[in-house]
Amino acid sequence: MFVDTHCHLTLLDLDPYQGDLDLALAQAREAGVSKFMSISVDLDDHIKLAAIAARHNDVGYSVGVHPCEDAATMARATTEYLVELAQPEKVWALGETGLDYYHSTEFVSEQKACFARHIHASQIVKKPVVVHTRSAKHDTVDIIRAEKSTHGILHCFTEDWETAKAVLDCGYYVSFSGIVSFKNAQDLRDVAKQVPLDRVLIETDSPYLAPMPYRGKSNEPKYVPYVAKALCDVYDKTLEEMAFITKQNFENLLNLK
């Protein structure tokens, strides 16, 4: 059974399901997905996500602020407030947080400070932090090291081996999305081959980045097996083995205190 460690259940295109998220999750379960972590991008996402998680035993969620949010929103994410939001059992992680200089460099200092506060909160509640990085790999690694963050996921990984090794050395897990299945992603698959099997996770990042053969279409959790399939050749494992390994890795991450 597969785990989608990073999906945005409040953002999915539900038109094929008559607007019913429950039907989309049912389809994913039929495809072999047994657990879903729905990720917050805004502090208020926790309200809708808590309601979804309450209806589904196999759904957990994160709390936090995406680095592309505005400075005022990031400022609301104090360490104390994040700790408060992270108390429910169904909150499995903090984030997604991190740094994104691709979309804007207007709030770099605010992004860095907010990222650090997410790490502090994760250390207090002993839950992993979900890290986004784009065009900011060096600063991302520097903050992870400086804050002595050892419990986290570098999600939707697209960076080089140097970056992967740096976060792995800190104790992080590396999560691959549908990008690893793209025909032009051989360099990424070459990096993946060097990542220890016990630190690999898979995700959809749905509704974004649908894997082959659905590239360009709206993504959803039922496609996460295609991400695992893309890694089978990388690691010379069967699909069943990749499902088991990545599911066990996620369980290990959540149980780490």
Side-chain angles (χ1 to χ4, degrees), residues 81-246:
Y81 189 41
L82 289 168
V83 168
E84 178 184 335
L85 292 180
Q87 292 305 310
E89 186 177 350
K90 276 301 193 78
V91 175
W92 293 346
L94 282 294
E96 69 185 272
T97 181
L99 304 175
D100 191 315
Y101 301 166
Y102 177 82
H103 289 98
S104 174
T105 55
E106 187 176 355
F107 303 118
V108 168
S109 62
E110 289 87 350
Q111 286 187 37
K112 289 180 176 180
C114 190
F115 182 17
R117 293 195 300 272
H118 280 73
I119 290 174
H120 299 162
S122 79
Q123 292 166 335
I124 292 168
V125 300
K126 295 181 169 54
K127 294 181 181 182
V129 61
V130 179
V131 177
H132 166 108
T133 184
R134 191 167 184 190
S135 302
K137 61 185 181 181
H138 296 299
D139 283 356
T140 299
V141 169
D142 286 348
I143 290 175
I144 290 171
R145 285 172 169 163
E147 302 300 336
K148 297 181 171 56
S149 181
T150 60
H151 191 190
I153 305 169
L154 196 58
H155 106 93
C156 192
F157 187 84
T158 57
E159 303 294 348
D160 52 19
W161 169 241
E162 180 185 14
T163 305
K165 186 177 186 306
V167 298
L168 288 165
D169 286 347
C170 291
Y172 272 50
Y173 287 68
V174 173
S175 183
F176 294 96
S177 70
I179 293 174
V180 78
S181 73
F182 295 174
K183 292 179 181 178
N184 62 351
Q186 187 56 50
D187 287 350
L188 180 59
R189 288 188 287 274
D190 290 342
V191 173
K193 196 164 190 174
Q194 300 178 75
V195 176
L197 261 175
D198 64 354
R199 296 288 193 84
V200 174
L201 297 173
I202 54 175
E203 64 175 86
T204 58
D205 201 12
S206 51
Y208 315 108
L209 304 173
M212 296 295 291
Y214 299 99
R215 185 177 183 181
K217 299 182 179 181
S218 184
N219 200 4
E220 52 185 292
K222 73 177 182 181
Y223 295 148
V224 77
Y226 290 94
V227 181
K229 184 178 180 181
L231 292 172
C232 287
D233 291 339
V234 171
Y235 291 108
D236 192 24
K237 298 293 182 182
T238 66
L239 190 59
E240 293 74 15
E241 287 172 329
M242 284 307 304
F244 177 81
I245 289 166
T246 51

